[in-house]
Amino acid sequence: MNTLLRVAIQKSGRLQEDSLRLFKESGLHFNNGKDQLKAQADNFPLELLFLRDDDIPQYIEDSVADAGIIGENVLIEKQKKNKIIMRLGFARCRLSMAVPRTENYTSTSWLHGKNIATSYPNLVKAFLNEKKISAGIHEISGSVEIAPGIGLADAICDIVSSGSTLMSNGLKEVETVMQSEAVLAANPELEEHKKNILSELIFRINAVQKAQNNKYILMNCPNESIEKITSVIPGMKSPTIMPLTKPGWSSLHSVVDENDFWKKINLLKSFGAEGILVIPIEKMIA
Ligand code: PRT
Ligand code: ZN
């Protein structure tokens, strides 16, 4: 019986660094370098397999890998027996339709009867069906953005991040087909002991993600403001309050969500808080 959870990650490319960082932050340690085919953690029952991202859904379906990290765009395009376990928040991008800048595009009906070059034929087909558009799909595996320029297609459907690739190829983005980010996917029928390892991994990734979205915050405040400040930053249960040697003042410690941090800072200052320190949290378990 293989007692290791086998997790496939991209061998090289945009997903690799963040995937490895996620395992590292979750406390997993790998001895062998990433140049090999696989790497076994020496402090957790998990083995990494380094593969091309496009192959990962098939390997998961075939149980060669139990789980994997891939772009949602690839996962959905491949239509394999994979279940999304959690979104990972990196490699954010969108799959978009683009046409030559000079075209007068006003709605999806422009696409009717046109030829669309893409590496994502299934996703494009689904989009066209939903919009009730009949168009040709020309599948190509790379450099999709040059297709209109060389007369291969009228439009393209490709991954866009900053939009600069489209711009430098004389194209404009006209429709978003899907938003994507890296996801952890798994075979839906894992054996019990592998499910348990996956659960432990998910628990750790959650703790890391939660920590990244929160900051530890310390400040000095007049005692009469403690109640008001607590209502703004209640922390995980309630803030820690410690008296300062200066009479009438306390040190207040709490946790604040990164996203509304700046909004709250001004409020805290208006309540008389001083010497505010904000510190990153490494792991957070509620
Ligand atoms: O070799 P392998 O097959 O494993 O890798 P790959 O070349 O197929 O994939 P890779 O590493 O390029 O991308 C892996 C995943 O990263 C994709 O499936 C997406 O989920 C995600 N991702 C995020 C991106 C981008 N951002 C991105 N910008 N994938 C590709 N691009 C490309 C895009 O294809 C286009 O050529 O970047 C260009 C557009 O970028 P902008 O910034 O100019 O708009
Ligand atoms: Zn690929």
Side-chain angles (χ1 to χ4, degrees):
M1 183 171 77
N2 191 345
T3 54
L4 300 175
L5 184 79
R6 286 161 306 179
V7 182
I9 65 167
Q10 196 186 27
K11 190 173 172 59
S12 68
R14 285 169 214 267
L15 299 168
Q16 207 224 23
E17 202 182 311
D18 284 328
S19 304
L20 285 171
R21 186 180 42 78
L22 191 71
F23 289 111
K24 197 172 154 214
E25 287 171 347
S26 302
L28 275 66
H29 180 259
F30 297 92
N31 263 329
N32 32 0
K34 58 188 183 189
D35 297 332
Q36 298 168 2
L37 215 62
K38 38 190 188 173
Q40 192 178 326
D42 52 29
N43 58 356
F44 194 82
L46 182 146
E47 181 172 64
L48 291 179
L49 308 179
F50 300 105
L51 299 168
R52 280 201 58 199
D53 66 346
D54 313 69
D55 297 335
I56 292 175
Q58 183 71 59
Y59 279 108
I60 293 177
E61 180 173 302
D62 295 343
S63 297
V64 175
D66 302 306
I69 294 179
I70 33 169
E72 210 177 343
N73 50 313
V74 173
L75 183 84
I76 297 178
E77 171 63 28
K78 297 293 175 188
Q79 303 180 346
K80 301 293 173 194
K81 250 173 53 193
N82 286 202
K83 185 170 140 198
I84 294 183
I85 303 295
M86 68 193 297
R87 319 187 95 74
L88 299 172
F90 58 84
R92 285 185 197 279
C93 57
R94 53 199 185 272
L95 181 69
S96 289
M97 212 65 91
V99 303
R101 204 165 28 223
T102 49
E103 291 295 333
N104 179 26
Y105 183 102
T106 50
S107 76
T108 46
S109 61
W110 183 95
L111 295 166
H112 203 81
K114 300 284 200 313
N115 241 320
I116 304 164
T118 188
S119 308
Y120 298 89
N122 291 323
L123 287 167
V124 174
K125 227 175 280 167
F127 176 83
L128 295 174
N129 282 346
E130 192 203 308
K131 304 281 177 194
K132 301 192 169 43
I133 302 286
S134 151
I137 297 174
H138 195 107
E139 184 178 351
I140 47 179
S141 59
S143 303
V144 175
E145 65 280 358
I146 66 167
I150 58 171
L152 190 69
D154 307 297
I156 68 163
C157 189
D158 200 13
I159 297 296
V160 180
S161 169
S162 68
S164 66
T165 303
L166 293 183
M167 200 179 316
S168 59
N169 285 279
L171 301 170
K172 61 180 176 189
E173 192 175 355
V174 292
E175 303 286 345
T176 305
V177 173
M178 80 174 284
Q179 301 281 350
S180 177
E181 66 185 276
V183 296
L184 175 67
N187 186 300
E189 287 152 18
L190 289 181
E191 301 154 49
E192 206 52 38
H193 72 282
K194 292 197 173 183
K195 265 193 208 151
N196 294 339
I197 304 171
L198 185 61
S199 297
E200 171 65 22
L201 180 68
I202 294 164
F203 174 77
R204 291 187 185 203
I205 295 175
N206 273 326
V208 171
Q209 286 190 335
K210 216 161 168 216
Q212 283 165 353
N213 293 334
N214 285 279
K215 297 277 179 261
Y216 192 73
I217 184 167
L218 304 87
M219 70 202 74
N220 296 327
C221 64
N223 287 345
E224 61 269 19
S225 303
I226 289 175
E227 208 172 306
K228 275 192 276 184
I229 293 178
T230 304
S231 68
V232 177
I233 44 167
M236 290 173 77
K237 210 169 229 116
S238 65
T240 306
I241 318 277
M242 282 179 281
L244 291 187
T245 46
K246 184 175 175 180
W249 282 73
S250 294
S251 167
L252 186 148
H253 300 198
S254 191
V255 169
V256 62
D257 187 318
E258 163 105 89
N259 293 321
D260 45 25
F261 166 71
W262 289 110
K263 255 188 289 170
K264 292 194 169 172
I265 284 295
N266 285 327
L267 208 53
L268 297 176
K269 275 166 62 186
S270 75
F271 294 155
E274 291 176 5
I276 301 171
L277 300 180
V278 178
I279 300 168
I281 301 171
E282 193 177 315
K283 307 276 189 300
M284 189 165 156
I285 294 139

